Amino acid sequence: MRAHLSTTYLGMDLKSPIVVAPAGITETAERIGRCEEHGAGAVVMKTMAEPEIMRQSPTPRFRLLKKGKGLRHFVLYSYEQASQFGPEAYAAELEKSRKRVTIPVIASIACTKERSWIEMAQMMESAGANALEINLSCPHGPDMSLDSGIEARITRITGLVASAVKIPVVAKLPSQLTDPSAVAKGVQEAGAKGVVIFNRLVGLDVDVESQAPIMHGAFAGHGGYWSIHYPLRWVAELSPLLAIDIAASGGVASGEDAIKFLLVGASVVQICTAVIVNGYGIISQINAEITDYAARHNFRSMSELRGLACDRVLGLQAVDRRRKVRARIDGEKCNHCGACYRACFHGTIVPDREGYAITSDCTGCGLCAEICDCGAISMVPLSGAETGRETDSQPGRLGN
Ligand SMILES: Cc1cc2nc3c(=O)[nH]c(=O)nc-3n(C[C@H](O)[C@H](O)[C@H](O)COP(=O)(O)O)c2cc1C
């Protein structure tokens, strides 16, 4: 059985829940065309910014920090400003994109003056935008400092724009908010039909030899596949509270990552970094991985799996705190590197003649099994007697 990837977002029918997020990869009609060719459900066009200074990107503007092998582990540190296009050129490119592709094209705008928010929104609506994202969260924009007024400003601007246009309006939230639930509920009340959780983080890296910030010296946006967990938590928390759509954004590298967001209630999943570093082909790969997963679990449609994990997220009182497992070392597999011994701050891993042994005081924390590179440590269930902690096989030590 082949699952349908089709879904609805902002009242629109999409053929895939994968939406390409705004960035240079969605700046022109030609690039938007490539998103469609590779199976994107919709595209959000690179943000059009009112301040002219935001339309000029410095060179270079990309660095991959803390890079591991291949392109799985890295921090994408970048200073790519908004679209090079001013309002008229952006509207023209948007019109061209709408003619070129059949999938929805969502415009994205970032303004500073209230009048401009309204004018730009109406301009993009006239140019044929299927929906509009409000970007008050650009890591290199005027709101990057995230002052204390940002939460109220997001709600106010969303309300202004939503009442000025007929197309659906989506608020893209910054990840650094005091109370994301209050802001998300606020934009819903203000008339947004969707919310993007979240834009990327603003950060900094410093070159210790020159004692100066890297690249051209400013704070920069940073993200990568590691960044999925924070938005995942918030999509899980917000989806039961909101009646509007959630577009998840942050850290998606694979079909599995996208499925995680759908399972916690996202309507669509936006991808950006994955396309930047791998090319547009990653879109069809992610679609194929979602299709395979759905077939394996007998889901016929995206709505069947959406939100299934939400009820399984536990609160403080519900977490099972019983001591149920302990670590066990397989002496045959152990290469005696000592990593587990050094990491065990409980002091319950001790050197012995054969290498290392785990004492009966093992708290079952699981750290050593995670650290062990040779698969010698596993977590095993405690027997009933061990749960009472009276009958360890040897005093001061559990059998390995
Ligand atoms: C180089 C780059 C440029 C971006 N430009 C924009 C932009 O113009 N407007 C916007 O709303 N978000 C922009 N973003 C944020 C992405 O749309 C996305 O929300 C974020 O990168 C998290 O998703 P990811 O982990 O899949 O990259 C940009 C991100 C990157 C890496």
Side-chain angles (χ1 to χ4, degrees):
M1 181 187 56
R2 211 178 143 75
H4 291 292
L5 289 184
S6 55
T7 192
T8 56
Y9 177 54
L10 310 173
M12 304 182 286
D13 292 325
L14 310 192
K15 61 186 181 192
S16 160
I18 300 301
V19 171
V20 183
I25 48 172
T26 63
E27 191 168 13
T28 62
E30 188 271 327
R31 294 177 206 168
I32 289 173
R34 282 199 258 168
C35 297
E36 176 170 65
E37 278 160 35
H38 286 91
V43 173
V44 187
M45 204 165 153
K46 173 93 185 143
T47 300
M48 197 295 296
E50 184 186 16
E52 277 200 54
I53 193 168
M54 282 181 70
R55 297 179 205 151
Q56 294 149 22
S57 291
T59 53
R61 50 185 167 274
F62 289 115
R63 288 282 298 270
L64 289 188
L65 309 177
K66 300 191 184 290
K67 193 164 163 275
K69 273 200 182 138
L71 280 173
R72 290 289 310 172
H73 307 286
F74 57 83
V75 174
L76 177 64
Y77 187 83
S78 65
Y79 200 99
E80 184 189 88
Q81 293 261 237
S83 172
Q84 57 182 299
F85 300 129
E88 290 77 18
Y90 186 91
E93 198 65 26
L94 172 60
E95 239 178 299
K96 205 163 134 192
S97 309
R98 287 282 286 117
K99 287 191 185 124
R100 187 181 175 120
V101 298
T102 57
I103 55 174
V105 181
I106 299 166
S108 167
I109 56 171
C111 301
T112 45
K113 298 186 268 309
E114 293 200 348
R115 190 168 34 84
S116 316
W117 278 107
I118 295 173
E119 282 171 13
M120 298 301 142
Q122 290 173 337
M123 194 169 178
M124 300 319 153
E125 179 175 46
S126 306
N130 295 95
L132 193 66
E133 258 188 28
I134 292 180
N135 181 3
L136 274 154
S137 51
C138 174
H140 327 107
D143 288 296
M144 153 288 258
S145 54
L146 296 171
D147 58 74
S148 56
I150 187 71
E151 310 203 343
R153 204 151 64 244
I154 291 171
T155 314
R156 194 177 65 251
I157 300 297
T158 304
L160 267 184
V161 173
S163 50
V165 293
K166 293 192 183 65
I167 53 175
V169 169
V170 179
K172 183 166 186 173
L173 303 189
S175 39
Q176 304 104 311
L177 290 172
T178 325
D179 188 351
S181 329
V183 181
K185 282 195 236 161
V187 297
Q188 172 174 278
E189 271 166 39
K193 294 283 183 280
V195 68
V196 182
I197 306 293
F198 288 111
N199 208 327
R200 59 211 310 252
L201 291 157
V202 188
L204 181 71
D205 200 14
V206 172
D207 174 17
V208 294
E209 297 308 319
S210 62
Q211 297 95 32
I214 65 167
M215 288 207 294
H216 29 269
F219 297 138
H222 69 287
Y225 304 146
W226 52 270
S227 66
I228 188 172
H229 306 286
Y230 186 70
L232 203 50
R233 170 255 159 111
W234 276 106
V235 174
E237 189 149 336
L238 293 174
S239 62
L241 304 178
L242 298 179
I244 57 177
D245 284 320
I246 297 180
S249 174
V252 173
S254 63
E256 183 175 321
D257 292 334
I259 289 160
K260 289 179 188 180
F261 273 127
L262 297 171
L263 286 173
V264 294
S267 301
V268 291
V269 179
Q270 295 196 0
I271 58 169
C272 176
T273 298
V275 179
I276 292 177
V277 300
N278 297 289
Y280 295 88
I282 191 94
I283 305 167
S284 36
Q285 198 178 310
I286 290 176
N287 277 340
E289 287 167 9
I290 301 174
T291 309
D292 286 351
Y293 169 86
R296 226 166 3 96
H297 289 269
N298 292 323
F299 293 121
R300 280 159 301 174
S301 66
M302 295 300 98
S303 55
E304 285 186 9
L305 65 95
R306 183 164 299 117
L308 280 185
C310 279
D311 289 348
R312 298 176 184 159
V313 179
L314 301 178
L316 181 70
Q317 304 299 334
V319 171
D320 182 352
R321 290 176 167 79
R322 285 170 299 172
R323 179 173 173 260
K324 293 193 292 194
V325 292
R326 65 174 174 80
R328 172 187 281 163
I329 295 184
D330 179 341
E332 300 280 298
K333 291 186 183 162
C334 175
N335 65 5
H336 309 160
C337 71
C340 58
Y341 169 62
R342 289 190 294 277
C344 183
F345 58 88
H346 295 105
T348 56
I349 297 185
V350 291
D352 75 356
R353 246 177 295 142
E354 289 115 50
Y356 293 94
I358 296 174
T359 74
S360 57
D361 290 328
C362 171
T363 65
C365 77
L367 179 63
C368 55
E370 291 296 312
I371 280 177
C372 178
D373 260 347
C374 53
I377 304 184
S378 50
M379 303 305 293
V380 295
L382 292 176
S383 66
E386 283 172 331
T387 316
R389 302 187 61 161
E390 276 108 28
T391 56
D392 293 325
S393 53
Q394 293 173 36
R397 165 176 180 179
L398 278 183
N400 293 330

